[in-house]
């Protein structure tokens, strides 16, 4: 009840001024500027999906804006398409163009992708100039017409304002639905560690393609609206430099929130107007201002605004709240570990070898993991332990040998597919997504289990809601049982190392694995934390999961392992019960012999 009332107040505070705004505006020019704010806002929301959430260096948002504008203009002027057809078609065409670049982004990364997108933007500018039969060349296309909604036509700038406001509201709803869903959260995961996202079941290739499609789709929508709002499209509107405008909007306003994008859009339109009388100094002051914001306020101007209690209060009203108060009422988590015939290995590694240049990191390694058993893998640093985990999870492709899950070969499968088949892992070096809270770290790992598609998720269908509730229940059970529930809303990067390590194991369990690979889970933990870890691994084992445990802490390993395999220089030295391994002369010589108890491994990437 109180929530409903609060929401109403929130909407009133936000919407009423926006609806009354045109009454306060006297000049047509000012109304035009305000309309520009709305148009920039929609494109920047889009950019916030690819650049802000997913961390892709997309530098050609202006070109996508232009694709939308020109598509709508061409449809309208050359084919006589009505507004209600031209706008959706332009949006879809632009989204498809974005998808194409998205596909390339999965092969060309980082700075190279940035250069690729700049190249696309430059190419697009040239195309607009030099293909007059279609684009109208330097003079562009005019007489695009007015937005026609069958029963009425939008003519004046004030009417356009209301139309654009409606589209901005629709875009805001769409953006927040995506950002709060498993899609938005996994995009953030990709930004912070895309290898970990892929290895925990997120199809990172498709997710990046989606991010680019959504990002450019919103640019296309805004572009089409530009064509109708201004009535003219020319190449200069969409030149490469315009793309920087949108990046600046995210930097100045703040990319984390819708409010930040709105503030950035207002600034980007009105700041140049305010500074214009300063003539020559205008650009310099502008530049200094941007530099100051970047240095002093990495979260953008929105971070100051949110410190004002009233703004914060309104802002929190619109935050999506998670109801995690009544776990008992949440649906049971389906699945868990299916009973399987004992005596059959769930994972088999047969004569696997891999070379890096001249180095045989693994030669002829064979290993079998059984349900409900803890199989330890020990050996000196550089023995090839992490390499084996990377081969099993599809990060590396072995040069020879076979790896099978339940008798089926994993050869050629991408890591997220292998994860979805039931192999989960942790990393020798923590690979949590520090930009997400603890509970979101866990929830992202349910990506493969939540089957509801993109549109079902955006429209929050019953199936999507049920799946979310199940994932939440799974996360809650795990966190409560591990005594980490209190940390659920803390950003994981702010937590102590031991907590992060435990949460990483919890995250690996979220996908209901059959096989769990733990790469040095006890490294860096205190003795009491190791005790908690021992209990946790025993619980995991009791639930029927096969555990591969890599660690240097011999007491810990001997305590819980059913079987131990010792690797040395990439070869299996012995594979037997803890008692036999402990007494094995070669193991003593190669590993245990010095009497030094190692607790930490050399830090290396996954
Ligand atoms: P550990 O048993 O300590 O986990 P690793 O499996 O990490 O050992 O490494 C085994 C050997 O393979 C090391 O000599 C390491 O330098 C090498 N190695 C691992 N991954 C790569 C790689 N991607 N490229 C080159 N060499 C690698
Ligand atoms: Mg290692």
């Amino acid at each position: 009840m109180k929530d409903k009332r609060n929401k109403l107040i929130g909407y009133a505070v936000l919407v009423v001024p926006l609806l009354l705004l045109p009454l306060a505006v006297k000049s047509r020019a000012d109304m035009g500027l305000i309309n520009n704010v709305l148009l920039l806002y929609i494109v920047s929301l889009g950019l916030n999906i690819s650049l802000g959430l997913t961390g892709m260096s997309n530098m050609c948002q202006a070109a996508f804006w232009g694709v939308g504008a020109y598509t709508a203009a061409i449809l309208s002027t050359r084919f006589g398409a009505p507004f209600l057809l031209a706008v959706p078609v332009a949006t879809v065409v632009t989204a498809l163009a974005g998808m194409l670049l998205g596909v390339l982004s999965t092969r060309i990364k980082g700075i190279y992708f940035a250069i690729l997108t700049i190249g696309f933007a430059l190419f697009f500018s040239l195309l607009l100039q030099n293909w007059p039969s279609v684009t109208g060349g330097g003079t562009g296309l005019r007489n695009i017409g007015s937005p026609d909604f069958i029963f009425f036509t939008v003519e004046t700038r004030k009417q356009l304002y209301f139309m654009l406001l409606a589209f901005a509201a629709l875009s805001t709803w769409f953006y927040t639905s995506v950002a709060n869903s498993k899609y938005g959260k996994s995009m953030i995961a990709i930004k912070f560690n895309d290898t970990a996202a892929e290895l925990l079941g997120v199809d990172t290739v498709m997710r990046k393609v989606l991010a680019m499609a959504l990002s450019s789709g919103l640019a296309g929508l805004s572009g089409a609206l530009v064509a109708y709002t201004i009535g003219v499209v020319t190449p200069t509107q969409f030149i490469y430099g315009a793309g920087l405008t949108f990046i600046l909007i995210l930097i100045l306003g703040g990319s984390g929130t819708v409010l930040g994008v709105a503030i950035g859009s207002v600034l980007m339109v009105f700041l140049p107007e305010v500074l214009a009388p300063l003539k020559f100094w205008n650009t310099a002051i502008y530049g200094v201002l941007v530099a100051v914001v970047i240095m002093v306020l990495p979260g953008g101007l929105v971070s100051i605004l949110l410190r004002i209690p009233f703004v914060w209060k309104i802002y929190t009203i619109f935050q999506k709240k998670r109801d995690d108060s009544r776990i008992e009422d949440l649906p049971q988590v389906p699945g868990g570990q299916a009973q399987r015939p004992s005596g059959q290995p769930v994972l088999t590694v047969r004569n696997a070898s891999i070379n890096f240049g001249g180095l045989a990191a693994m030669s002829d390694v064979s290993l079998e993991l059984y349900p409900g058993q803890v199989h330890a893998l020990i050996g000196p640093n550089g023995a090839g332990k992490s390499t084996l985990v990377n081969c099993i999870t599809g990060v590396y492709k072995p040069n020879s040998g076979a790896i099978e899950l339940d008798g089926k070969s994993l050869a050629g499968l991408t890591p997220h597919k292998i994860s979805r088949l039931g192999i989960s892992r942790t990393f020798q070096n923590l690979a949590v997504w520090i930009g997400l809270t603890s509970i979101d770290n866990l929830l992202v790992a349910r990506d493969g289990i939540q089957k509801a598609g993109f549109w079902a998720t955006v429209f929050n269908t019953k199936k999507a809601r049920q799946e979310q509730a199940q994932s939440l229940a799974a996360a809650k059970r795990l966190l409560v049982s591990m005594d980490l529930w209190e940390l659920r809303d803390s950003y994981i990067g702010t937590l102590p190392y031991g907590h992060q390590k435990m949460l990483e194991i919890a995250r690996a369990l979220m996908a209901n694995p059959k096989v769990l690979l733990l790469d040095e889970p006890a490294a860096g933990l205190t003795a009491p934390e190791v005790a908690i870890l021992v209990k946790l691994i025993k619980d995991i084992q009791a639930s029927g999961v096969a555990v591969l445990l890599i660690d240097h802490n011999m007491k810990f390993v001997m305590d819980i392992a059913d079987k131990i395999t010792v690797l040395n220089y990439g070869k299996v030295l012995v594979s037997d019960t803890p008692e036999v391994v402990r007494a094995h002369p070669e193991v003593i010589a190669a590993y245990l012999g010095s009497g030094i108890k190692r607790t930490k491994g050399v830090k290396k990437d996954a």
Side-chain angles (χ1 to χ4, degrees):
M1 225 8 242
K2 195 158 166 280
D3 251 24
K4 270 228 167 92
R5 205 198 61 193
N6 276 346
K7 263 222 160 103
L8 259 161
I9 296 175
Y11 277 113
V13 169
L14 211 80
V15 176
V16 171
L18 285 175
L19 290 178
L20 297 181
L21 186 63
L23 290 179
V25 179
K26 296 279 175 291
S27 79
R28 241 174 72 82
D30 283 349
M31 207 60 239
L33 290 176
I34 292 170
N35 287 349
N36 277 352
V37 171
L38 293 172
L39 290 166
L40 293 190
Y41 169 76
I42 297 172
V43 202
S44 308
L45 269 190
L47 187 63
N48 211 7
I49 297 179
S50 57
L51 185 75
L53 296 180
T54 323
M56 302 170 79
S57 0
N58 170 13
M59 313 293 278
C60 60
Q61 193 70 345
F64 290 130
W65 203 30
V67 172
Y70 269 85
T71 308
I74 290 167
L75 284 173
S76 167
T77 55
R78 301 209 192 277
F79 300 96
F83 174 82
L84 288 177
L85 180 70
V87 172
V89 171
T91 306
V92 171
V93 166
T94 317
L96 289 175
M99 261 172 123
L100 212 69
L101 273 189
V103 171
L104 294 175
S105 83
T106 60
R107 310 217 148 231
I108 304 164
K109 291 184 196 227
I111 186 82
Y112 300 103
F113 181 64
I115 292 170
L116 177 82
T117 57
I118 292 172
F120 171 71
L122 293 175
F123 165 76
F124 181 72
S125 287
L126 286 176
L127 193 73
L128 292 185
Q129 294 276 6
N130 296 307
W131 196 15
S133 58
V134 174
T135 64
T139 48
L141 299 168
R142 10 199 100 243
N143 302 325
I144 293 163
S146 301
D148 185 358
F149 286 87
I150 303 169
F151 299 108
F152 63 94
T153 309
V154 178
E155 300 281 5
T156 68
R157 286 196 177 175
K158 288 195 177 172
Q159 290 170 348
L160 281 167
Y161 169 79
F162 287 110
M163 179 192 84
L164 294 175
L165 193 62
F167 277 107
L170 189 71
S171 308
T172 307
W173 165 78
F174 180 72
Y175 172 84
T176 47
S177 301
V178 173
N180 291 322
S181 74
K182 74 164 199 175
Y183 290 91
K185 300 271 153 94
S186 59
M187 285 170 188
I188 297 175
I190 287 172
K191 171 161 79 181
F192 284 93
N193 191 329
D194 69 338
T195 312
E198 174 76 24
L199 284 161
L200 284 150
V202 177
D203 186 345
T204 53
V205 168
M206 287 313 289
R207 207 53 47 94
K208 285 182 193 167
V209 172
L210 177 72
M212 282 302 287
L214 302 178
S215 171
S216 51
L218 283 171
L221 170 66
S222 172
L225 296 173
V226 166
Y228 280 97
T229 303
I230 304 178
V232 188
V233 293
T234 56
T236 46
Q237 288 167 284
F238 310 105
I239 53 171
Y240 166 66
L244 296 179
T245 308
F246 306 122
I247 295 175
L248 278 179
I249 286 175
L250 299 192
I251 292 174
L252 284 179
S255 63
T257 57
V258 168
L259 186 60
V261 179
I263 294 171
S265 308
V266 172
L267 281 178
M268 197 48 68
V269 171
F270 284 99
L271 211 55
E273 297 293 318
V274 174
L275 296 178
L278 298 174
K279 299 211 176 82
F280 166 75
W281 291 104
N282 166 2
T283 323
I285 292 177
Y286 189 71
V288 170
L289 214 77
V290 172
V292 168
V293 169
I294 292 173
M295 279 191 291
V296 183
L297 293 168
L301 286 168
V302 69
S303 53
I304 309 187
L305 211 64
L306 288 179
R307 282 189 213 140
I308 303 168
F310 174 73
V311 177
W312 177 250
K313 194 143 191 194
I314 298 295
Y315 178 71
T316 46
I317 290 175
F318 290 102
Q319 291 294 299
K320 207 174 166 201
K321 285 174 200 70
R322 183 184 61 233
D323 182 15
D324 51 25
S325 52
R326 298 166 304 153
I327 190 161
E328 289 73 20
D329 301 346
L330 291 172
Q332 276 295 321
V333 183
Q337 283 320 299
Q339 292 298 316
R340 55 187 66 245
S342 54
Q344 292 286 335
V346 52
L347 185 93
T348 314
V349 177
R350 214 175 297 120
N351 307 108
S353 303
I354 186 167
N355 300 322
F356 295 112
L359 176 86
M362 242 171 54
S363 15
D364 240 358
V365 171
S366 296
L367 188 94
E368 285 178 338
L369 301 186
Y370 291 85
Q373 288 204 0
V374 176
H375 192 130
L377 183 65
I378 63 172
N381 283 322
K385 306 181 296 296
S386 297
T387 301
L388 176 62
V389 170
N390 283 330
C391 286
I392 295 173
T393 51
V395 180
Y396 297 158
K397 310 278 168 230
N399 300 117
S400 60
I403 300 173
E404 289 166 2
L405 182 72
D406 282 329
K408 285 191 205 75
S409 169
L410 299 178
L413 296 182
T414 52
H416 77 267
K417 287 222 174 89
I418 293 176
S419 157
R420 289 176 179 202
L421 288 175
I423 301 182
S424 267
R425 67 174 285 182
T426 63
F427 299 81
Q428 180 170 349
N429 297 323
L430 265 182
V432 292
W433 300 301
I434 55 170
L436 290 172
T437 59
S438 305
I439 197 160
D440 282 341
N441 264 268
L442 266 61
L443 293 174
V444 166
R446 297 280 291 188
D447 203 276
I449 291 180
Q450 286 179 206
K451 301 280 184 225
F454 176 72
W455 291 107
T457 306
V458 168
F459 285 105
N460 212 12
T461 60
K462 192 159 167 240
K463 183 179 174 209
R465 284 200 306 272
Q466 274 173 350
E467 285 182 343
Q468 278 154 23
Q470 282 164 355
S471 292
L472 190 59
K476 184 159 183 178
R477 284 204 186 85
L478 260 175
L479 289 175
V480 168
S481 73
M482 291 168 75
D483 223 3
L484 297 170
W485 179 238
E486 294 306 314
L487 306 179
R488 63 191 179 280
D489 289 323
S490 306
Y491 280 91
I492 200 164
T494 64
L495 298 174
Y497 183 74
H499 285 150
Q500 294 191 32
K501 278 219 116 157
M502 297 302 267
L503 285 164
E504 200 190 37
I505 299 174
R507 181 179 72 174
L509 289 170
M510 283 296 283
N512 291 335
K514 296 175 191 166
V515 176
L516 178 64
L517 312 173
L518 300 173
D519 198 348
E520 307 206 10
L525 295 193
T526 60
E529 284 170 343
V530 173
I532 298 173
L533 180 62
V534 168
K535 185 183 168 300
L536 175 65
I537 294 177
K538 287 191 169 149
D539 285 347
I540 296 168
Q541 176 184 22
S543 75
V545 176
V547 179
L548 181 73
L549 172 68
I550 299 177
D551 218 281
H552 289 290
N553 183 336
M554 279 300 98
K555 184 178 168 334
F556 166 60
V557 167
M558 294 289 171
D559 275 356
I560 56 177
D562 297 295
K563 201 170 175 190
I564 299 181
T565 294
V566 185
L567 272 188
N568 196 24
Y569 293 112
K571 289 197 183 70
V572 175
L573 212 56
V574 54
S575 196
D576 215 314
T577 60
E579 293 70 34
V580 175
V581 168
R582 206 197 312 251
H584 198 282
E586 273 184 86
V587 177
I588 294 171
Y591 185 52
L592 301 174
S594 66
I596 299 167
K597 196 170 98 181
R598 303 192 212 197
T599 51
K600 263 195 179 157
V602 176
K603 297 281 176 205
K604 235 179 275 131
D605 284 322

